[in-house]
Amino acid sequence: MSPTYQTLTPDFSVAPQLQPDDMQALADAGFKSVIINRPDGEGGPEQPLSDDVLRAARAAGLQARYQPVVSGAITAADVAEFAGLLRELPAPVLAFCRSGARCTNLFVAARESGIDQTQG
C-alpha cells in the first residue's frame, strides 16, 4: 500500500507517521527528500525510530533529515531550522509527523516569516 500524503505546493508535501518500508514508495513517487519532525518515542514503542527511517530513506536514494519538534510547542528556532532544511534539500520534499499538522504548521510559519526560500 502506498503512503498517504497531502501536497501543499509542487515542491512540498506532508504525511502522517511513515514507516521505513514506505521510503521506497516515496522515492518511486518522485520525492527527493524526507524530513522527520516527530520526536523518537512520542508515539510509544510502536513508532519506528528515526534512525531506521533515515537508513531506509537513504537506501531508497532519498536525502533525509531528522528535526524533532514537540507538538504544540513550535519555536522560532524550529521554524528557522525547518526553513534551512527546505533551502538545503532537493525538492520535492515530504515532511512527516504524527498527523502531518505539525509539518504543515512549520511550513506555513517558515513561509510567513519570510525565511523560507523554496518555490511554490
Side-chain angles (χ1 to χ4, degrees), residues 29-118:
F31 288 99
K32 303 291 183 208
S33 305
V34 172
I35 301 171
I36 304 168
N37 289 128
R38 190 172 193 192
D40 280 343
E42 180 183 75
E46 67 277 0
Q47 178 186 340
L49 294 175
S50 59
D51 282 345
D52 294 334
V53 177
L54 291 168
R55 191 172 14 267
R58 291 175 182 140
L62 297 165
Q63 294 284 319
R65 300 293 187 277
Y66 176 53
Q67 183 206 358
V69 175
V70 175
S71 181
I74 295 173
T75 67
D78 293 332
V79 172
E81 182 178 350
F82 189 78
L85 290 174
L86 292 177
R87 286 190 302 272
E88 167 193 333
L89 294 168
V93 176
L94 181 135
F96 75 88
C97 56
R98 186 189 66 76
S99 68
R102 185 176 343 180
C103 303
T104 299
N105 291 337
L106 282 163
F107 182 73
V108 169
R111 289 178 64 120
E112 288 177 353
S113 70
I115 56 178
D116 171 30
Q117 311 248 332
T118 63

